[in-house]
Short mmCIF file of all heavy atoms in Angstrom, two decimals:
data_model
loop_
_atom_site.label_atom_id
_atom_site.label_comp_id
_atom_site.label_asym_id
_atom_site.label_seq_id
_atom_site.Cartn_x
_atom_site.Cartn_y
_atom_site.Cartn_z
N ALA A 56 41.90 -4.53 6.39
CA ALA A 56 40.55 -3.97 6.32
C ALA A 56 39.69 -4.83 5.40
O ALA A 56 40.17 -5.32 4.39
CB ALA A 56 40.60 -2.54 5.82
N PRO A 57 38.43 -4.99 5.74
CA PRO A 57 37.56 -5.77 4.85
C PRO A 57 37.30 -5.03 3.54
O PRO A 57 37.27 -3.81 3.50
CB PRO A 57 36.26 -5.90 5.65
CG PRO A 57 36.28 -4.76 6.60
CD PRO A 57 37.73 -4.48 6.89
N ILE A 58 37.12 -5.79 2.47
CA ILE A 58 36.84 -5.21 1.16
C ILE A 58 35.34 -4.98 1.07
O ILE A 58 34.55 -5.89 1.27
CB ILE A 58 37.32 -6.13 0.03
CG1 ILE A 58 38.84 -6.29 0.10
CG2 ILE A 58 36.87 -5.60 -1.32
CD1 ILE A 58 39.38 -7.29 -0.86
N VAL A 59 34.97 -3.74 0.76
CA VAL A 59 33.57 -3.40 0.62
C VAL A 59 33.32 -3.09 -0.85
O VAL A 59 33.95 -2.22 -1.42
CB VAL A 59 33.20 -2.18 1.50
CG1 VAL A 59 31.75 -1.80 1.29
CG2 VAL A 59 33.51 -2.46 2.95
N GLU A 60 32.40 -3.83 -1.46
CA GLU A 60 32.07 -3.59 -2.87
C GLU A 60 30.85 -2.68 -2.96
O GLU A 60 29.86 -2.92 -2.28
CB GLU A 60 31.79 -4.90 -3.58
CG GLU A 60 33.02 -5.77 -3.71
CD GLU A 60 32.75 -7.02 -4.51
OE1 GLU A 60 31.81 -7.01 -5.33
OE2 GLU A 60 33.49 -7.98 -4.33
N THR A 61 30.96 -1.64 -3.78
CA THR A 61 29.82 -0.76 -4.01
C THR A 61 29.56 -0.71 -5.50
O THR A 61 30.49 -0.77 -6.31
CB THR A 61 30.08 0.67 -3.49
OG1 THR A 61 31.25 1.18 -4.12
CG2 THR A 61 30.26 0.69 -1.99
N GLU A 62 28.31 -0.60 -5.86
CA GLU A 62 27.94 -0.53 -7.26
C GLU A 62 27.88 0.93 -7.68
O GLU A 62 27.21 1.74 -7.07
CB GLU A 62 26.57 -1.16 -7.48
CG GLU A 62 26.18 -1.26 -8.92
CD GLU A 62 24.86 -1.97 -9.11
OE1 GLU A 62 24.56 -2.87 -8.34
OE2 GLU A 62 24.15 -1.58 -10.04
N VAL A 63 28.61 1.25 -8.73
CA VAL A 63 28.63 2.61 -9.27
C VAL A 63 27.85 2.59 -10.57
O VAL A 63 28.17 1.84 -11.49
CB VAL A 63 30.07 3.10 -9.51
CG1 VAL A 63 30.06 4.47 -10.15
CG2 VAL A 63 30.85 3.10 -8.21
N THR A 64 26.80 3.39 -10.63
CA THR A 64 26.00 3.48 -11.84
C THR A 64 26.33 4.78 -12.56
O THR A 64 26.10 5.86 -12.01
CB THR A 64 24.49 3.44 -11.50
OG1 THR A 64 24.24 2.26 -10.74
CG2 THR A 64 23.66 3.42 -12.76
N LEU A 65 26.88 4.66 -13.73
CA LEU A 65 27.21 5.84 -14.52
C LEU A 65 25.96 6.34 -15.24
O LEU A 65 25.09 5.55 -15.61
CB LEU A 65 28.29 5.51 -15.55
CG LEU A 65 29.63 5.06 -14.96
CD1 LEU A 65 30.58 4.65 -16.08
CD2 LEU A 65 30.25 6.15 -14.12
N PRO A 66 25.85 7.65 -15.42
CA PRO A 66 24.67 8.16 -16.12
C PRO A 66 24.65 7.70 -17.57
O PRO A 66 25.68 7.57 -18.21
CB PRO A 66 24.82 9.68 -16.03
CG PRO A 66 26.24 9.92 -15.70
CD PRO A 66 26.76 8.70 -15.01
N LYS A 67 23.43 7.44 -18.07
CA LYS A 67 23.26 7.12 -19.48
C LYS A 67 23.04 8.43 -20.21
O LYS A 67 22.21 9.23 -19.81
CB LYS A 67 22.04 6.22 -19.68
CG LYS A 67 22.16 4.86 -19.05
CD LYS A 67 20.87 4.10 -19.28
CE LYS A 67 20.87 2.79 -18.54
NZ LYS A 67 19.60 2.08 -18.69
N LYS A 68 23.80 8.65 -21.28
CA LYS A 68 23.68 9.89 -22.05
C LYS A 68 23.36 9.56 -23.50
O LYS A 68 23.93 8.63 -24.07
CB LYS A 68 24.98 10.70 -21.97
CG LYS A 68 25.30 11.19 -20.58
CD LYS A 68 26.58 12.00 -20.58
CE LYS A 68 26.90 12.48 -19.17
NZ LYS A 68 28.13 13.26 -19.13
N PHE A 69 22.43 10.32 -24.05
CA PHE A 69 22.01 10.14 -25.44
C PHE A 69 21.93 11.50 -26.12
O PHE A 69 21.55 12.49 -25.50
CB PHE A 69 20.62 9.49 -25.50
CG PHE A 69 20.59 8.09 -24.97
CD1 PHE A 69 20.44 7.86 -23.61
CD2 PHE A 69 20.70 7.01 -25.82
CE1 PHE A 69 20.41 6.57 -23.11
CE2 PHE A 69 20.67 5.72 -25.33
CZ PHE A 69 20.52 5.50 -23.97
N LYS A 70 22.26 11.50 -27.41
CA LYS A 70 22.08 12.71 -28.23
C LYS A 70 21.19 12.32 -29.40
O LYS A 70 21.47 11.37 -30.12
CB LYS A 70 23.42 13.23 -28.73
CG LYS A 70 23.29 14.48 -29.58
CD LYS A 70 24.66 14.95 -30.06
CE LYS A 70 24.53 16.13 -30.98
NZ LYS A 70 25.83 16.55 -31.51
N VAL A 71 20.09 13.05 -29.55
CA VAL A 71 19.14 12.79 -30.61
C VAL A 71 19.20 13.95 -31.60
O VAL A 71 19.08 15.11 -31.20
CB VAL A 71 17.71 12.66 -30.04
CG1 VAL A 71 16.70 12.43 -31.15
CG2 VAL A 71 17.64 11.55 -28.99
N VAL A 72 19.39 13.64 -32.86
CA VAL A 72 19.40 14.66 -33.91
C VAL A 72 17.97 14.80 -34.44
O VAL A 72 17.34 13.81 -34.80
CB VAL A 72 20.37 14.27 -35.05
CG1 VAL A 72 20.30 15.29 -36.18
CG2 VAL A 72 21.79 14.14 -34.51
N LEU A 73 17.49 16.04 -34.47
CA LEU A 73 16.15 16.32 -34.99
C LEU A 73 16.27 16.70 -36.46
O LEU A 73 16.96 17.66 -36.81
CB LEU A 73 15.50 17.45 -34.19
CG LEU A 73 15.31 17.20 -32.70
CD1 LEU A 73 14.75 18.44 -32.01
CD2 LEU A 73 14.41 15.99 -32.46
#
Side-chain angles (χ1 to χ4, degrees):
I58 296 174
V59 178
E60 292 185 24
T61 57
E62 186 177 327
V63 176
T64 305
L65 298 175
K67 295 178 186 177
K68 295 181 181 180
F69 295 85
K70 180 180 176 183
V71 178
V72 176
L73 300 176

